[in-house]
């Protein structure tokens, strides 16, 4: 994983990088870094490439990476399938070798289409003087752009700095290509986009939403050749023919014991087994794709975990932990990162509400016993019962209001940017502190301070979006039935790059760690997309059962207990960050704390 940067200028004037941006890039890639300058053959343009590398695969490979033909690549990604990569190989070198062999745009698109895993890249193709860049289908790696028409520049970067205007996330609708010769002749930066499309689709059949995100820039146009990237996932099943024997609310299960009744049917059994198989493989690829040195270390009782999980004790993180336990070597610990924001004392709570107030919780359980801390401890107990031989490090990350304000001002506001809502602030702060992994663990001898050294962090994002885990999905189902729910889920996945993934990548990578998203593995998404919506979720059933029903059944099959029926609780509420400062804000409001530092 890397912090990547590229500055293209159509003038001879030398421009300089922002020092804050450069420091953010270095935090993403602490292992090595470098610059490389490409100058046009006639001197009418120049392009600066910069990259800072976090060593995650094979042997350490510095970037920017150049080959003998003059091609240059900065790559922020992981190959989990599609292109063969041996344990000793570095995927950046593999990608450059394949791209360098391409002689036409269709060949470049073919290489990018078969890669499975997250990526963002900038590639200078010497033959023809082309600059390619873009993000993967889901936008799992951050890439921002900024056009400056006054000085004819385009800047691309993994992370920017708050307060600077005009930065936007590169829309993850496809990959982009700049003809550098044509741009210099025209005197302006223009580019064409090659969009993602399902097999059999063409440019005329793509949805309007494909272009809405790039329409704000007059510098981007559709490629004239009609070429597309092949989507790595199958289309969403939009079938509306609900079987007559499909269960309804009249026979709704209400506890995890009742989930067993659904598992008793062979059809549901097969569906659950298939989901476990495909999700287990997604987790396996992500917990075993590690630097060579991490894989060859000798067993030790004092060894550090190579993998951590953002852990609330809810079903999404519990399933990731249970599946990771299958594949991580038995002697290695797993870090469970659980974040809590200090409960605020109310001055005069009424007697009627005292038992339910945060102040009462504070007195009874402690200042950091927020809902996610309580369910996290319960989840830890389930995992210890599941595998008592594994060392599960339950890392209690405790955050005071003073530290929150300081870290937001110094770091988090720059990472969340260019997003700016209250929701972005809440989730960005919670994820940043959790990913830092600095807290304490409880052992037989008592509590001790602890900081997770794991470079890989698994996160459960993508489960709610695909399996109707949010409360708004129940609202849509009640008003519009299965048809409306399918439309809502299609929209969720379509916008996940701009709403969640770029932000989460920037926030987690700031600690020199890498976010990995098993629920957004291409095979997992394709499998879930292939199922009709009523086989994945049943919102006629109660909360804690109906939403993400297929995943809850998988949890029971894996041996999990009460966590299988925990209702969804958003991170900002479970960690209590939403109540720490201004509880009267709306999630969609612009957050003054981010805008003002």
């Amino acid at each position: 994983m890397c912090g990547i940067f590229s500055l293209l200028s159509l003038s001879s004037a030398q421009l300089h990088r922002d020092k804050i941006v450069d420091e953010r890039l270095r935090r993403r890639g602490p292992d090595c870094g470098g610059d490389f300058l490409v100058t046009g053959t006639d001197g009418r343009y120049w392009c600066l490439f910069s990259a800072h590398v976090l060593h995650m695969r094979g042997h350490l490979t510095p970037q920017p990476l150049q080959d003998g033909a003059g091609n240059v690549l900065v790559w922020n990604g992981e190959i989990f399938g599609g292109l063969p990569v041996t344990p000793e190989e570095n995927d950046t070198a593999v990608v450059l070798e394949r791209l360098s062999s391409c002689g036409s745009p269709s060949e470049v698109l073919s290489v990018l289409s078969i890669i499975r895993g997250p990526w963002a890249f900038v590639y200078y193709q010497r033959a023809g003087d082309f600059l390619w860049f873009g993000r993967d289908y889901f936008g799992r790696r951050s890439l921002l752009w900024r056009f400056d028409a006054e000085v004819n520049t385009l800047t691309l970067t993994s992370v920017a700095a708050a307060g600077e205007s005009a930065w936007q996330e590169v829309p993850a609708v496809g990959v982009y290509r700049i003809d550098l010769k044509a741009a210099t002749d025209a005197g302006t930066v223009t580019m064409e986009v090659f969009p993602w499309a399902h097999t059999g689709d063409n440019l005329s059949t793509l949805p309007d939403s494909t272009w809405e995100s790039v329409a704000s820039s007059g510098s981007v146009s559709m490629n004239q050749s009609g070429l597309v990237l092949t989507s790595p996932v199958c289309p969403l099943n939009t079938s509306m023919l609900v079987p007559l024997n499909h269960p309804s609310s009249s026979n709704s299960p209400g506890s995890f014991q009742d989930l067993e009744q659904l598992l008793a049917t062979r059809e549901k059994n097969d569906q659950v087994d298939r989901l476990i198989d495909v999700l287990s493989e997604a987790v396996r690829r992500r917990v075993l794709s590690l630097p060579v040195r991490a894989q060859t270390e000798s067993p030790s009782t004092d060894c550090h975990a190579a993998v951590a999980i953002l852990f609330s004790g809810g079903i999404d993180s519990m399933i990731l932990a249970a599946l990771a336990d299958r594949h991580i070597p038995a002697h290695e610990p797993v870090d469970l990162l659980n974040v809590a924001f200090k409960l605020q004392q109310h001055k005069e709570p009424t007697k009627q509400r005292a038992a339910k107030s945060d102040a009462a919780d504070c007195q009874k359980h402690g200042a950091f016993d927020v809902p996610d801390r309580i369910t996290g401890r319960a989840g830890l107990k389930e995992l210890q019962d599941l595998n008592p031989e594994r060392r599960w490090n339950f890392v209690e990350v405790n955050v005071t209001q003073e530290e929150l304000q300081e870290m937001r001002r110094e770091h988090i506001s720059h990472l969340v940017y260019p997003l700016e809502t209250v929701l972005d602030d809440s989730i960005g702060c919670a994820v940043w502190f959790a990913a830092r992994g600095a807290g304490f663990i409880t052992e037989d001898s008592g509590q001790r301070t602890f900081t997770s050294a794991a470079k890989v962090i698994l996160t459960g994002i993508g489960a709610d979006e695909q399996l109707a885990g949010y409360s708004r999905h129940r609202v849509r189902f009640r008003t519009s039935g299965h048809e409306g729910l399918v439309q809502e889920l299609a929209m969720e996945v379509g916008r996940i790059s701009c709403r969640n993934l770029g932000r989460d990548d920037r926030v987690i990578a700031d600690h020199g760690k890498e976010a990995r998203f098993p629920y957004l593995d291409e095979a997992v998404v394709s499998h879930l997309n292939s199922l009709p919506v009523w086989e994945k979720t049943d919102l006629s059933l109660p909360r804690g059962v109906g939403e993400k029903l297929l995943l809850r059944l998988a949890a029971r099959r894996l041996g999990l207990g009460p966590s299988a029926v925990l209702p969804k609780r958003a991170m900002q509420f479970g960690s209590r960050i939403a109540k720490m400062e201004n509880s009267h804000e709306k999630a969609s409001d612009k957050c003054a704390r981010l805008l003002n530092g």
Side-chain angles (χ1 to χ4, degrees):
M1 206 226 29
C2 304
I4 62 176
F5 177 93
S6 177
L7 173 58
L8 169 65
S9 174
L10 300 186
S11 71
S12 59
Q14 291 293 311
L15 302 175
H16 301 283
R17 284 170 291 176
D18 184 287
K19 291 183 178 179
I20 297 178
V21 173
D22 195 49
E23 176 57 30
R24 298 290 160 204
L25 293 168
R26 291 176 187 274
R27 288 175 64 89
R28 292 176 62 92
D31 294 327
C32 70
D35 298 337
F36 190 81
L37 182 66
V38 170
T39 305
T41 53
D42 55 6
R44 290 192 295 166
Y45 75 83
W46 57 268
C47 190
L48 174 66
F49 295 88
S50 181
H52 296 275
V53 177
L54 174 69
H55 178 213
M56 296 301 299
R57 298 282 292 275
H59 297 287
L60 180 61
T61 302
Q63 295 193 45
L65 190 60
Q66 312 97 43
D67 65 9
N71 302 303
V72 182
L73 175 68
V74 286
W75 171 262
N76 175 26
E78 296 287 352
I79 298 176
F80 294 127
L83 290 179
V85 182
T86 68
E88 294 76 23
E89 287 183 306
N90 180 273
D91 52 4
T92 306
V94 171
V95 172
L96 179 58
E97 182 180 5
R98 292 296 294 268
L99 289 177
S100 297
S101 69
C102 298
S104 66
S106 62
E107 291 176 334
V108 172
L109 298 177
S110 294
V111 170
L112 296 172
S113 293
I114 63 175
I115 295 174
R116 298 294 177 262
W119 48 262
F121 79 103
V122 186
Y123 171 59
Y124 172 66
Q125 188 178 23
R126 186 72 176 180
D129 269 357
F130 294 116
L131 189 71
W132 295 81
F133 64 93
R135 304 165 69 191
D136 72 79
Y137 181 82
F138 298 110
R140 289 165 289 189
R141 291 290 176 258
S142 171
L143 191 63
L144 308 177
W145 63 9
R146 183 176 66 179
F147 301 88
D148 191 332
E150 292 186 4
V151 292
N152 272 338
T153 63
L154 167 66
T155 309
L156 299 162
T157 181
S158 298
V159 62
E164 295 186 358
S165 60
W167 285 106
Q168 294 178 317
E169 299 210 27
V170 174
V173 299
V175 296
Y176 305 80
R177 188 183 74 161
I178 300 174
D179 183 330
L180 295 171
K181 290 181 179 178
T184 52
D185 289 342
T188 184
V189 178
T190 58
M191 66 191 71
E192 53 186 347
V193 60
F194 299 83
W196 293 102
H198 293 292
T199 302
D201 287 348
N202 55 51
L203 298 184
S204 62
T205 62
L206 294 178
D208 293 339
S209 59
T210 301
W211 311 119
E212 290 174 358
S213 54
V214 297
S216 59
S217 173
S219 303
V220 183
S221 62
M222 170 58 61
N223 77 88
Q224 297 302 305
S225 56
L227 296 174
V228 298
L229 290 154
T230 302
S231 169
V233 300
C234 72
L236 182 66
N237 187 330
T238 58
S239 173
M240 294 298 146
L241 298 176
V242 183
L244 293 177
N245 62 349
H246 183 66
S248 65
S249 58
S250 60
N251 56 359
S252 301
S255 67
F256 71 85
Q257 289 91 349
D258 293 315
L259 291 176
E260 300 287 354
Q261 297 177 10
L262 288 173
L263 284 173
T265 66
R266 180 171 181 177
E267 181 181 7
K268 186 62 70 176
N269 236 356
D270 292 343
Q271 293 169 1
V272 170
D273 288 343
R274 177 59 184 143
L275 176 60
I276 290 175
D277 288 345
V278 71
L279 190 54
S280 179
E281 175 60 18
V283 171
R284 186 193 68 82
R285 291 177 183 272
R286 284 157 179 80
V287 301
L288 296 184
S289 296
L290 300 169
V292 170
R293 65 173 183 264
Q295 294 177 342
T296 57
E297 287 176 350
S298 59
S300 168
T301 56
D302 298 324
C303 70
H304 296 292
V307 176
I309 301 171
L310 296 186
F311 188 77
S312 67
I315 184 173
D316 304 341
S317 58
M318 286 292 291
I319 282 185
L320 293 183
L323 293 177
D325 182 55
R326 288 183 168 189
H327 304 295
I328 295 174
H331 70 274
E332 293 185 10
V334 175
D335 292 347
L336 308 174
L337 308 178
N338 182 276
V339 65
F341 292 82
K342 188 175 182 180
L343 295 168
Q344 302 300 297
Q345 289 275 7
H346 295 288
K347 291 183 178 180
E348 295 181 358
T350 63
K351 290 183 179 180
Q352 286 184 323
R353 299 181 59 188
K356 298 181 180 180
S357 69
D358 286 344
D361 288 341
C362 177
Q363 294 168 2
K364 183 177 179 181
H365 300 293
F368 294 99
D369 277 3
V370 302
D372 277 0
R373 179 61 48 79
I374 296 168
T375 55
R377 288 180 183 138
L380 171 65
K381 179 62 167 62
E382 286 190 45
L383 294 173
Q384 289 170 334
D385 291 342
L386 198 66
N387 184 358
E389 302 303 317
R390 171 79 64 188
R391 180 176 160 190
W392 302 96
N393 292 325
F394 183 69
V395 187
E396 301 188 34
V397 178
N398 297 333
V399 186
T400 64
Q401 187 170 21
E402 294 74 21
E403 186 179 20
L404 169 63
Q405 293 171 348
E406 178 185 359
M407 293 299 105
R408 178 194 286 121
R409 181 175 59 254
E410 294 182 5
H411 298 287
I412 301 169
S413 62
H414 299 289
L415 304 168
V416 171
Y417 180 79
L419 304 186
E420 57 185 8
T421 69
V422 169
L423 182 62
D424 292 316
D425 173 60
S426 295
I427 296 180
C429 290
V431 171
W432 188 87
F433 280 104
R436 187 175 65 169
F440 66 87
I441 59 176
T442 302
E443 298 176 322
D444 292 340
S445 58
Q447 294 180 346
R448 68 176 176 91
T449 58
F450 182 92
T451 299
S452 172
K455 284 187 175 183
V456 170
I457 297 183
L458 302 184
T459 170
I461 192 169
D464 290 310
E465 288 78 3
Q466 297 180 80
L467 293 162
Y470 294 120
S471 59
R472 59 179 175 269
H473 297 146
R474 282 189 176 272
V475 174
R476 188 65 185 272
F477 177 70
R478 284 197 298 266
T479 58
S480 306
H482 284 113
E483 182 176 0
L485 179 59
V486 168
Q487 294 171 357
E488 192 78 12
L489 296 181
M491 181 178 66
E492 294 280 10
V493 176
R495 67 187 183 184
I496 197 171
S497 65
C498 60
R499 283 174 65 100
N500 305 85
L501 293 173
R503 176 200 65 212
D504 290 356
D505 173 68
R506 293 190 294 275
V507 166
I508 292 174
D510 189 58
H511 302 291
K513 301 179 181 183
E514 180 175 278
R516 295 184 177 177
F517 311 97
Y519 290 108
L520 291 174
D521 179 271
E522 290 83 354
V524 173
V525 176
S526 283
H527 174 64
L528 292 175
N529 277 359
S530 71
L531 301 175
V533 67
W534 60 83
E535 290 185 2
K536 297 181 284 189
T537 188
D538 185 351
L539 298 184
S540 69
L541 303 180
R543 285 187 71 236
V545 178
E547 73 277 15
K548 299 187 285 192
L549 176 61
L550 191 60
L551 199 62
R552 297 182 186 281
L553 293 169
R556 286 300 300 137
R557 174 58 55 82
L558 290 170
L560 299 177
S563 61
V565 291
L566 280 178
K568 165 69 180 179
R569 184 189 296 115
M571 189 177 196
Q572 64 269 30
F573 301 120
S575 68
R576 282 298 190 259
I577 186 175
K579 288 194 173 185
M580 178 168 271
E581 290 170 305
N582 184 352
S583 60
H584 299 294
E585 296 170 314
K586 294 181 180 179
S588 58
D589 289 346
K590 285 190 176 182
C591 182
R593 295 181 296 280
L594 286 174
L595 301 177
N596 300 328

